[in-house]
Amino acid sequence: MSSRTWWQEAVFYEIYVRSFADSDGDGVGDLAGIRERLPYLKELGVDALWLTPFYPSPGVDHGYDVSDYVDVDPQLGSLADFDALVADAHALGLKVTVDIVPNHTSDRHPWFRDHPEYYVWADEPNNWPSTFGGSAWTFDEARGRYYLHLFAPEQPDLDWHNPAVQEEFERIIRFWLDRGVDGFRIDVAYALFKDPELRDEEEPLPPMPAPPDWRRSIDLPELHPLYREWRRLADEYDGGRVLVGELTFLDPARVVPYLRPDELHLGFNFTILLAEWDAEQLHAAIDSSRAALAPADPTWVLENHDVTRLPTRYRGPRSARAAALLLLALPGPVFLYAGQELGLEEVHLPDDVRQDPVFFRTKGERKGRDGCRVPLPWEGEAPPFGFTTGEPWLPMPESWRTETVDEQERDPASFLSLYRGALAARPRGDAFAWRESPPGSLAFDRGEMICVVNVDAPAVELPQGELVLASEPTVTTSLPPDTAAWIQTTKLRPKGTT
Ligand code: BGC
Ligand code: MG
């Protein structure tokens, strides 16, 4: 598969930086903590890291409110720590991609004070809601006008129609490319440009994570020349730097125009993430992504830092294990979210520890995203399970005693062992063909590998071949509900040939 570039079949591993590993005991994960755990990621078998924003930030949206795009938040480390992390990752053969947040800055970014013309203002608010709840407009006393924020009021939206903003970001992108990053995940890539007339939306909009499908601020034609420029920039650097857009439209067909050879390399595809644990829905999601995105590479994701953990969203750990084999059998790049490989469930946190602006903006009506951002359990019998020597920034459940990396490494039947096995045996290449399978189940060929997933059929007989991997150790010749398996077929050669 030498004609395929690394990102076309890479497994990316998303690290929510403050929740991964803490090196200095302040209870907040940091870059040095990630660096210490690189051998774990290497052994897990992922190809690339995606680091959520680690830039200086007041922390209203934990890094997605950036106050300086070309530095590291002192709580998370320094530029020297970043360079050391990239060097060590590269030495292990791991790529490093970083989040870039071009839609909005923090309201503490010096631009908001010194360059109000970089932002979107109006004398009167229109009817646009903030994705986090409430209006998308806040009155600025000093300037006597309203500014736009599709997210929290502390995240004012930049005016991408201003060429100065575009120039600033070219410098920022270059800064990180020069430091050796292998690519960017572009936050809110669908919405940088707003309707210049700021017209009202015609219908009320759904809240996150539902894709914003008809907002006047998404999918504007101006995005294309911008991404062509960014692509040109990325292509100046050797080694195949990748641009991954957060293009989470409801309809994958709308993503295609961004994936031309001179624009973004990849776009997030949330179709399977938005589907339920339901064979028909998953079948349709896979089909629609493949049909709409061909010949570009559809990406696959089931978890990230914005959505409820999979075992909680589905029908418990068994279903999430089966889904792991489905996900890792699909053709194209896959994104995993730290802790998914441990089968972590959503944590039901008390209201008084919650930090997500979604919780505050909706007066607690939406609990927000903290439940999937609880720090990772590494080892030991009690919280903080080796995550930190101090007090973790969110409380960790006692019940994770049996979920730690250390425990799971010793158990061949653990979630972690399943993920390691699947990452090692994962079929490569783009061959894909559906097979007949009973209602309530899915089956497809990936070259010489067959993936069979039983969601809720009474039982599914496995095809002939060698059982490479099963989501439950009890599986032999037939799959009960909530299980999956990979079967290796050996091609039969006619006699007398070699
Ligand atoms: C990120 C969220 C963030 C929002 C605003 C999203 O796409 O994934 O975590 O709150 O952008 O930056
Ligand atoms: Mg720390």
Side-chain angles (χ1 to χ4, degrees):
M1 292 270 88
S2 55
S3 61
R4 285 166 78 79
T5 322
W6 69 268
W7 44 264
Q8 290 186 285
E9 43 195 15
V11 174
F12 292 78
Y13 182 93
E14 178 191 358
I15 293 182
Y16 198 70
V17 175
R18 56 192 290 116
S19 298
F20 192 67
D22 177 26
S23 70
D24 60 1
D26 69 351
V28 174
D30 44 48
L31 297 183
I34 299 171
R35 190 173 164 216
E36 283 168 17
R37 298 290 184 178
L38 287 174
Y40 166 76
L41 297 170
K42 180 67 190 169
E43 205 166 322
L44 177 59
V46 297
D47 304 294
L49 314 183
W50 151 25
L51 307 178
T52 59
F54 48 80
Y55 318 108
S57 161
V60 169
D61 192 8
H62 292 319
Y64 286 97
D65 48 324
V66 179
S67 54
D68 180 356
Y69 286 90
V70 288
D71 205 347
V72 172
D73 192 295
Q75 198 177 24
L76 308 180
S78 62
L79 282 171
D81 290 325
F82 180 80
D83 292 341
L85 171 59
V86 172
D88 282 10
H90 284 170
L92 288 171
L94 294 166
K95 308 278 186 187
V96 180
T97 66
V98 301
D99 222 308
I100 186 168
V101 189
N103 181 66
H104 43 264
T105 69
S106 161
D107 61 347
R108 309 282 179 81
H109 195 294
W111 293 342
F112 197 54
R113 191 186 54 232
D114 302 337
H115 288 288
E117 75 281 8
Y118 282 13
Y119 297 84
V120 181
W121 298 89
D123 293 328
E124 288 300 329
N126 63 17
N127 73 351
W128 298 0
S130 150
T131 311
F132 286 172
S135 167
W137 296 92
T138 290
F139 188 68
D140 184 274
E141 295 286 347
R143 302 192 191 271
R145 302 186 80 195
Y146 291 83
Y147 65 89
L148 177 70
H149 51 86
L150 293 185
F151 297 90
E154 296 86 353
Q155 293 167 299
D157 278 43
L158 286 163
D159 178 5
W160 275 87
H161 285 111
N162 182 339
V165 170
Q166 304 196 18
E167 282 158 27
E168 297 277 12
F169 271 85
E170 277 174 34
R171 279 195 285 276
I172 293 162
I173 289 171
R174 235 180 237 293
F175 178 87
W176 293 105
L177 287 172
D178 285 337
R179 288 205 109 81
V181 305
D182 298 290
F184 298 94
R185 177 263 189 188
I186 307 165
D187 189 56
V188 193
Y190 51 86
L192 306 191
F193 290 90
K194 314 298 181 309
D195 173 17
E197 293 168 47
L198 300 172
R199 286 166 297 177
D200 277 344
E201 289 285 355
E202 279 158 21
E203 295 182 55
L205 296 165
M208 267 181 96
D213 204 31
W214 58 92
R215 147 164 297 167
R216 293 230 190 255
S217 50
I218 65 159
D219 205 8
L220 263 61
E222 295 93 310
L223 280 169
H224 295 286
L226 178 73
Y227 292 146
R228 280 200 287 274
E229 188 52 35
W230 289 11
R231 175 63 175 260
R232 211 189 44 69
L233 235 164
D235 284 348
E236 274 179 34
Y237 291 75
D238 56 1
R241 318 289 174 109
V242 66
L243 301 174
V244 188
E246 194 195 15
L247 296 165
T248 53
F249 306 118
L250 206 48
D251 177 1
R254 291 177 78 172
V255 178
V256 185
Y258 294 91
L259 303 181
R260 296 197 193 103
D262 60 347
E263 291 197 28
L264 304 183
H265 302 83
L266 297 173
F268 273 100
N269 162 32
F270 276 13
T271 51
I272 58 166
L273 180 146
L274 294 167
E276 289 169 37
W277 180 233
D278 173 283
E280 251 177 70
Q281 285 190 33
L282 288 164
H283 192 293
I286 294 167
D287 260 354
S288 66
S289 313
R290 286 177 46 78
L293 292 172
D297 299 272
T299 59
W300 308 104
V301 60
L302 287 173
E303 280 198 19
N304 66 32
H305 65 289
D306 292 327
V307 298
T308 305
R309 290 275 193 191
L310 201 57
T312 312
R313 239 167 56 219
Y314 282 6
R315 256 197 315 262
R318 265 172 79 93
S319 55
R321 291 172 63 99
L325 293 195
L326 170 65
L327 177 71
L328 290 168
L330 293 170
V334 170
F335 289 81
L336 302 179
Y337 173 50
Q340 181 175 350
E341 79 280 19
L342 303 177
L344 298 183
E345 306 209 8
E346 188 80 358
V347 179
H348 298 288
L349 295 162
D351 286 358
D352 61 355
V353 303
R354 289 192 179 268
Q355 306 201 9
D356 186 5
V358 171
F359 176 74
F360 300 107
R361 294 281 293 166
T362 61
K363 303 192 174 58
E365 208 172 281
R366 278 158 57 199
K367 291 292 176 198
R369 303 161 293 177
D370 296 306
C372 69
R373 297 174 176 181
V374 173
L376 255 59
W378 291 96
E379 66 220 359
E381 295 295 310
F385 296 117
F387 163 72
T388 176
T389 53
E391 190 71 26
W393 72 278
L394 283 174
M396 303 168 70
E398 299 278 347
S399 63
W400 280 2
R401 193 177 312 114
T402 53
E403 315 291 323
T404 61
V405 168
D406 192 37
E407 276 291 317
Q408 296 205 29
E409 273 180 338
R410 279 182 277 184
D411 177 4
S414 69
F415 244 103
L416 179 58
S417 299
L418 178 70
Y419 265 93
R420 281 187 180 167
L423 283 159
R426 180 175 173 246
R428 304 270 167 165
D430 52 10
F432 179 96
W434 288 111
R435 295 171 71 91
E436 289 275 339
S437 75
S441 70
L442 303 164
F444 51 86
D445 285 326
R446 291 277 284 119
E448 292 183 15
M449 187 88 92
I450 304 171
C451 173
V452 188
V453 183
N454 184 4
V455 176
D456 53 13
V460 180
E461 290 312 305
L462 289 175
Q464 289 283 312
E466 182 203 340
L467 180 63
V468 177
L469 211 55
S471 64
E472 297 295 328
T474 48
V475 165
T476 49
T477 54
S478 131
L479 288 181
D482 289 336
T483 62
W486 290 357
I487 309 290
Q488 178 86 36
T489 59
T490 329
K491 278 206 180 124
L492 294 172
R493 291 202 177 86
K495 273 203 179 111
T497 61
T498 46

